[in-house]
mmCIF file of all heavy atoms in Angstrom:
data_model
loop_
_atom_site.group_PDB
_atom_site.id
_atom_site.type_symbol
_atom_site.label_atom_id
_atom_site.label_comp_id
_atom_site.label_asym_id
_atom_site.label_seq_id
_atom_site.Cartn_x
_atom_site.Cartn_y
_atom_site.Cartn_z
ATOM 1 N N ASP A 3 132.323 87.785 91.386
ATOM 2 C CA ASP A 3 133.645 87.814 92.018
ATOM 3 C C ASP A 3 133.875 89.148 92.725
ATOM 4 O O ASP A 3 134.458 89.193 93.822
ATOM 5 C CB ASP A 3 134.737 87.589 90.967
ATOM 6 C CG ASP A 3 134.712 86.164 90.417
ATOM 7 O OD1 ASP A 3 134.167 85.285 91.109
ATOM 8 O OD2 ASP A 3 135.228 85.955 89.305
ATOM 9 N N GLN A 4 133.405 90.214 92.105
ATOM 10 C CA GLN A 4 133.564 91.541 92.711
ATOM 11 C C GLN A 4 132.763 91.637 94.001
ATOM 12 O O GLN A 4 133.226 92.200 95.003
ATOM 13 C CB GLN A 4 133.091 92.610 91.717
ATOM 14 C CG GLN A 4 133.932 93.873 91.736
ATOM 15 C CD GLN A 4 133.553 94.803 90.607
ATOM 16 O OE1 GLN A 4 132.405 94.842 90.162
ATOM 17 N NE2 GLN A 4 134.515 95.566 90.130
ATOM 18 N N ILE A 5 131.565 91.076 93.974
ATOM 19 C CA ILE A 5 130.714 91.106 95.168
ATOM 20 C C ILE A 5 131.367 90.329 96.306
ATOM 21 O O ILE A 5 131.428 90.795 97.443
ATOM 22 C CB ILE A 5 129.324 90.514 94.841
ATOM 23 C CG1 ILE A 5 128.592 91.403 93.849
ATOM 24 C CG2 ILE A 5 128.498 90.335 96.108
ATOM 25 C CD1 ILE A 5 127.319 90.800 93.323
ATOM 26 N N GLU A 6 131.861 89.141 95.996
ATOM 27 C CA GLU A 6 132.499 88.321 97.025
ATOM 28 C C GLU A 6 133.725 89.007 97.604
ATOM 29 O O GLU A 6 133.984 88.930 98.815
ATOM 30 C CB GLU A 6 132.868 86.962 96.437
ATOM 31 C CG GLU A 6 131.671 86.087 96.101
ATOM 32 C CD GLU A 6 132.079 84.758 95.484
ATOM 33 O OE1 GLU A 6 133.278 84.611 95.141
ATOM 34 O OE2 GLU A 6 131.218 83.871 95.338
ATOM 35 N N ALA A 7 134.483 89.699 96.758
ATOM 36 C CA ALA A 7 135.665 90.413 97.234
ATOM 37 C C ALA A 7 135.272 91.544 98.187
ATOM 38 O O ALA A 7 135.934 91.777 99.212
ATOM 39 C CB ALA A 7 136.460 90.960 96.051
ATOM 40 N N LEU A 8 134.182 92.237 97.868
ATOM 41 C CA LEU A 8 133.721 93.324 98.723
ATOM 42 C C LEU A 8 133.223 92.781 100.064
ATOM 43 O O LEU A 8 133.519 93.349 101.123
ATOM 44 C CB LEU A 8 132.614 94.114 98.030
ATOM 45 C CG LEU A 8 133.048 95.042 96.887
ATOM 46 C CD1 LEU A 8 131.843 95.609 96.160
ATOM 47 C CD2 LEU A 8 133.921 96.181 97.414
ATOM 48 N N VAL A 9 132.473 91.693 100.028
ATOM 49 C CA VAL A 9 131.971 91.089 101.266
ATOM 50 C C VAL A 9 133.136 90.594 102.128
ATOM 51 O O VAL A 9 133.116 90.709 103.357
ATOM 52 C CB VAL A 9 130.989 89.946 100.952
ATOM 53 C CG1 VAL A 9 130.593 89.209 102.230
ATOM 54 C CG2 VAL A 9 129.741 90.504 100.266
ATOM 55 N N ASP A 10 134.162 90.060 101.481
ATOM 56 C CA ASP A 10 135.352 89.624 102.227
ATOM 57 C C ASP A 10 136.020 90.808 102.924
ATOM 58 O O ASP A 10 136.599 90.651 104.012
ATOM 59 C CB ASP A 10 136.349 88.946 101.286
ATOM 60 C CG ASP A 10 135.867 87.565 100.831
ATOM 61 O OD1 ASP A 10 134.967 87.019 101.491
ATOM 62 O OD2 ASP A 10 136.394 87.057 99.824
ATOM 63 N N LYS A 11 135.959 91.988 102.311
ATOM 64 C CA LYS A 11 136.542 93.183 102.934
ATOM 65 C C LYS A 11 135.848 93.501 104.257
ATOM 66 O O LYS A 11 136.489 93.960 105.214
ATOM 67 C CB LYS A 11 136.429 94.382 101.984
ATOM 68 C CG LYS A 11 137.479 94.407 100.889
ATOM 69 C CD LYS A 11 138.873 94.630 101.458
ATOM 70 C CE LYS A 11 139.921 94.718 100.374
ATOM 71 N NZ LYS A 11 141.288 94.843 100.935
ATOM 72 N N LEU A 12 134.535 93.264 104.310
ATOM 73 C CA LEU A 12 133.808 93.501 105.554
ATOM 74 C C LEU A 12 134.334 92.593 106.668
ATOM 75 O O LEU A 12 134.504 93.028 107.810
ATOM 76 C CB LEU A 12 132.312 93.263 105.341
ATOM 77 C CG LEU A 12 131.569 94.323 104.531
ATOM 78 C CD1 LEU A 12 130.138 93.878 104.251
ATOM 79 C CD2 LEU A 12 131.570 95.654 105.259
ATOM 80 N N ALA A 13 134.586 91.341 106.326
ATOM 81 C CA ALA A 13 135.151 90.410 107.317
ATOM 82 C C ALA A 13 136.547 90.863 107.745
ATOM 83 O O ALA A 13 136.909 90.759 108.928
ATOM 84 C CB ALA A 13 135.192 89.000 106.739
ATOM 85 N N ASP A 14 137.337 91.381 106.804
ATOM 86 C CA ASP A 14 138.676 91.874 107.128
ATOM 87 C C ASP A 14 138.601 93.054 108.098
ATOM 88 O O ASP A 14 139.403 93.159 109.040
ATOM 89 C CB ASP A 14 139.407 92.299 105.855
ATOM 90 C CG ASP A 14 139.722 91.121 104.943
ATOM 91 O OD1 ASP A 14 139.739 89.979 105.442
ATOM 92 O OD2 ASP A 14 139.949 91.345 103.738
ATOM 93 N N ILE A 15 137.626 93.943 107.870
ATOM 94 C CA ILE A 15 137.471 95.115 108.737
ATOM 95 C C ILE A 15 137.109 94.678 110.155
ATOM 96 O O ILE A 15 137.669 95.170 111.143
ATOM 97 C CB ILE A 15 136.404 96.078 108.172
ATOM 98 C CG1 ILE A 15 136.897 96.703 106.869
ATOM 99 C CG2 ILE A 15 136.063 97.166 109.184
ATOM 100 C CD1 ILE A 15 135.838 97.487 106.124
ATOM 101 N N ARG A 16 136.196 93.722 110.270
ATOM 102 C CA ARG A 16 135.792 93.247 111.590
ATOM 103 C C ARG A 16 136.945 92.568 112.320
ATOM 104 O O ARG A 16 137.116 92.740 113.534
ATOM 105 C CB ARG A 16 134.607 92.281 111.468
ATOM 106 C CG ARG A 16 133.362 92.927 110.903
ATOM 107 C CD ARG A 16 132.161 92.013 110.952
ATOM 108 N NE ARG A 16 131.603 91.938 112.291
ATOM 109 C CZ ARG A 16 130.375 91.508 112.557
ATOM 110 N NH1 ARG A 16 129.584 91.123 111.571
ATOM 111 N NH2 ARG A 16 129.924 91.456 113.783
ATOM 112 N N ARG A 17 137.747 91.812 111.582
ATOM 113 C CA ARG A 17 138.907 91.167 112.214
ATOM 114 C C ARG A 17 139.924 92.205 112.679
ATOM 115 O O ARG A 17 140.519 92.070 113.757
ATOM 116 C CB ARG A 17 139.548 90.187 111.233
ATOM 117 C CG ARG A 17 138.863 88.833 111.153
ATOM 118 C CD ARG A 17 139.722 87.818 110.430
ATOM 119 N NE ARG A 17 139.898 88.178 109.028
ATOM 120 C CZ ARG A 17 139.100 87.773 108.053
ATOM 121 N NH1 ARG A 17 138.066 86.992 108.325
ATOM 122 N NH2 ARG A 17 139.316 88.130 106.798
ATOM 123 N N ALA A 18 140.139 93.237 111.857
ATOM 124 C CA ALA A 18 141.100 94.284 112.227
ATOM 125 C C ALA A 18 140.657 94.995 113.506
ATOM 126 O O ALA A 18 141.469 95.237 114.409
ATOM 127 C CB ALA A 18 141.245 95.277 111.073
ATOM 128 N N ILE A 19 139.377 95.327 113.596
ATOM 129 C CA ILE A 19 138.872 96.000 114.797
ATOM 130 C C ILE A 19 138.983 95.077 116.007
ATOM 131 O O ILE A 19 139.288 95.521 117.119
ATOM 132 C CB ILE A 19 137.418 96.450 114.579
ATOM 133 C CG1 ILE A 19 137.336 97.478 113.444
ATOM 134 C CG2 ILE A 19 136.829 97.042 115.859
ATOM 135 C CD1 ILE A 19 135.935 97.852 113.041
ATOM 136 N N GLY A 20 138.765 93.780 115.790
ATOM 137 C CA GLY A 20 138.844 92.816 116.877
ATOM 138 C C GLY A 20 140.228 92.687 117.488
ATOM 139 O O GLY A 20 140.368 92.147 118.586
ATOM 140 N N GLN A 21 141.265 93.170 116.792
ATOM 141 C CA GLN A 21 142.612 93.152 117.356
ATOM 142 C C GLN A 21 142.745 94.110 118.540
ATOM 143 O O GLN A 21 143.627 93.947 119.385
ATOM 144 C CB GLN A 21 143.628 93.530 116.279
ATOM 145 C CG GLN A 21 143.717 92.540 115.128
ATOM 146 C CD GLN A 21 144.651 93.033 114.027
ATOM 147 O OE1 GLN A 21 145.455 93.937 114.254
ATOM 148 N NE2 GLN A 21 144.549 92.452 112.849
ATOM 149 N N VAL A 22 141.865 95.112 118.589
ATOM 150 C CA VAL A 22 141.937 96.126 119.642
ATOM 151 C C VAL A 22 140.740 96.055 120.586
ATOM 152 O O VAL A 22 140.883 96.173 121.802
ATOM 153 C CB VAL A 22 142.020 97.546 119.013
ATOM 154 C CG1 VAL A 22 141.961 98.622 120.083
ATOM 155 C CG2 VAL A 22 143.292 97.680 118.190
ATOM 156 N N ILE A 23 139.548 95.849 120.017
ATOM 157 C CA ILE A 23 138.327 95.879 120.812
ATOM 158 C C ILE A 23 137.973 94.474 121.283
ATOM 159 O O ILE A 23 137.911 93.535 120.489
ATOM 160 C CB ILE A 23 137.152 96.464 119.993
ATOM 161 C CG1 ILE A 23 137.493 97.886 119.531
ATOM 162 C CG2 ILE A 23 135.883 96.464 120.810
ATOM 163 C CD1 ILE A 23 137.697 98.864 120.654
ATOM 164 N N VAL A 24 137.728 94.331 122.589
ATOM 165 C CA VAL A 24 137.293 93.059 123.172
ATOM 166 C C VAL A 24 135.777 93.107 123.328
ATOM 167 O O VAL A 24 135.233 94.020 123.952
ATOM 168 C CB VAL A 24 137.960 92.813 124.534
ATOM 169 C CG1 VAL A 24 137.434 91.527 125.162
ATOM 170 C CG2 VAL A 24 139.465 92.760 124.385
ATOM 171 N N GLY A 25 135.089 92.119 122.774
ATOM 172 C CA GLY A 25 133.634 92.080 122.891
ATOM 173 C C GLY A 25 132.983 93.190 122.074
ATOM 174 O O GLY A 25 133.491 93.598 121.023
ATOM 175 N N GLN A 26 131.852 93.675 122.576
ATOM 176 C CA GLN A 26 131.093 94.752 121.928
ATOM 177 C C GLN A 26 130.764 94.419 120.465
ATOM 178 O O GLN A 26 130.758 95.296 119.606
ATOM 179 C CB GLN A 26 131.849 96.076 122.016
ATOM 180 C CG GLN A 26 132.057 96.600 123.412
ATOM 181 C CD GLN A 26 132.713 97.969 123.447
ATOM 182 O OE1 GLN A 26 132.999 98.565 122.409
ATOM 183 N NE2 GLN A 26 132.962 98.475 124.630
ATOM 184 N N GLU A 27 130.484 93.148 120.202
ATOM 185 C CA GLU A 27 130.202 92.755 118.826
ATOM 186 C C GLU A 27 129.025 93.516 118.249
ATOM 187 O O GLU A 27 129.050 93.924 117.087
ATOM 188 C CB GLU A 27 129.933 91.247 118.740
ATOM 189 C CG GLU A 27 131.161 90.365 118.847
ATOM 190 C CD GLU A 27 131.559 90.091 120.289
ATOM 191 O OE1 GLU A 27 130.828 90.543 121.199
ATOM 192 O OE2 GLU A 27 132.584 89.419 120.519
ATOM 193 N N HIS A 28 127.964 93.721 119.064
ATOM 194 C CA HIS A 28 126.785 94.405 118.532
ATOM 195 C C HIS A 28 127.085 95.868 118.225
ATOM 196 O O HIS A 28 126.524 96.446 117.286
ATOM 197 C CB HIS A 28 125.613 94.294 119.521
ATOM 198 C CG HIS A 28 125.695 95.252 120.675
ATOM 199 N ND1 HIS A 28 126.551 95.072 121.745
ATOM 200 C CD2 HIS A 28 125.031 96.411 120.923
ATOM 201 C CE1 HIS A 28 126.404 96.062 122.602
ATOM 202 N NE2 HIS A 28 125.501 96.894 122.129
ATOM 203 N N VAL A 29 128.000 96.471 118.996
ATOM 204 C CA VAL A 29 128.370 97.868 118.735
ATOM 205 C C VAL A 29 129.138 97.984 117.423
ATOM 206 O O VAL A 29 128.832 98.834 116.579
ATOM 207 C CB VAL A 29 129.208 98.425 119.905
ATOM 208 C CG1 VAL A 29 129.669 99.849 119.595
ATOM 209 C CG2 VAL A 29 128.407 98.393 121.193
ATOM 210 N N ILE A 30 130.129 97.110 117.243
ATOM 211 C CA ILE A 30 130.902 97.121 115.998
ATOM 212 C C ILE A 30 129.990 96.830 114.809
ATOM 213 O O ILE A 30 130.080 97.483 113.765
ATOM 214 C CB ILE A 30 132.038 96.079 116.066
ATOM 215 C CG1 ILE A 30 132.958 96.358 117.259
ATOM 216 C CG2 ILE A 30 132.827 96.078 114.765
ATOM 217 C CD1 ILE A 30 133.581 97.726 117.261
ATOM 218 N N GLU A 31 129.109 95.851 114.975
ATOM 219 C CA GLU A 31 128.199 95.501 113.883
ATOM 220 C C GLU A 31 127.306 96.675 113.506
ATOM 221 O O GLU A 31 127.129 96.987 112.323
ATOM 222 C CB GLU A 31 127.340 94.292 114.277
ATOM 223 C CG GLU A 31 126.299 93.936 113.219
ATOM 224 C CD GLU A 31 125.678 92.581 113.438
ATOM 225 O OE1 GLU A 31 126.427 91.579 113.398
ATOM 226 O OE2 GLU A 31 124.451 92.523 113.634
ATOM 227 N N GLN A 32 126.737 97.345 114.499
ATOM 228 C CA GLN A 32 125.831 98.446 114.201
ATOM 229 C C GLN A 32 126.570 99.659 113.636
ATOM 230 O O GLN A 32 126.017 100.403 112.819
ATOM 231 C CB GLN A 32 125.030 98.803 115.449
ATOM 232 C CG GLN A 32 124.020 97.735 115.818
ATOM 233 C CD GLN A 32 123.240 98.061 117.086
ATOM 234 O OE1 GLN A 32 123.111 99.222 117.484
ATOM 235 N NE2 GLN A 32 122.703 97.040 117.740
ATOM 236 N N MET A 33 127.804 99.885 114.045
ATOM 237 C CA MET A 33 128.593 100.947 113.425
ATOM 238 C C MET A 33 128.839 100.645 111.953
ATOM 239 O O MET A 33 128.714 101.522 111.089
ATOM 240 C CB MET A 33 129.923 101.136 114.164
ATOM 241 C CG MET A 33 129.816 101.816 115.504
ATOM 242 S SD MET A 33 131.407 102.464 116.134
ATOM 243 C CE MET A 33 132.452 101.023 116.034
#
């Protein structure tokens, strides 16, 4: 459960960044 919660946080971070950044998925991913 702890692992799944942490992995979900990664998805939350990507969604938050996507509110401002258009495209550049590979840049966000590599960062």
Side-chain angles (χ1 to χ4, degrees):
D3 291 338
Q4 218 172 30
I5 294 172
E6 291 179 350
L8 286 172
V9 173
D10 288 342
K11 281 293 183 184
L12 287 173
D14 293 339
I15 292 171
R16 297 187 77 162
R17 279 194 294 269
I19 297 173
Q21 295 175 17
V22 175
I23 301 297
V24 177
Q26 296 185 2
E27 285 84 3
H28 79 284
V29 176
I30 302 302
E31 176 167 298
Q32 290 178 23
M33 286 197 307

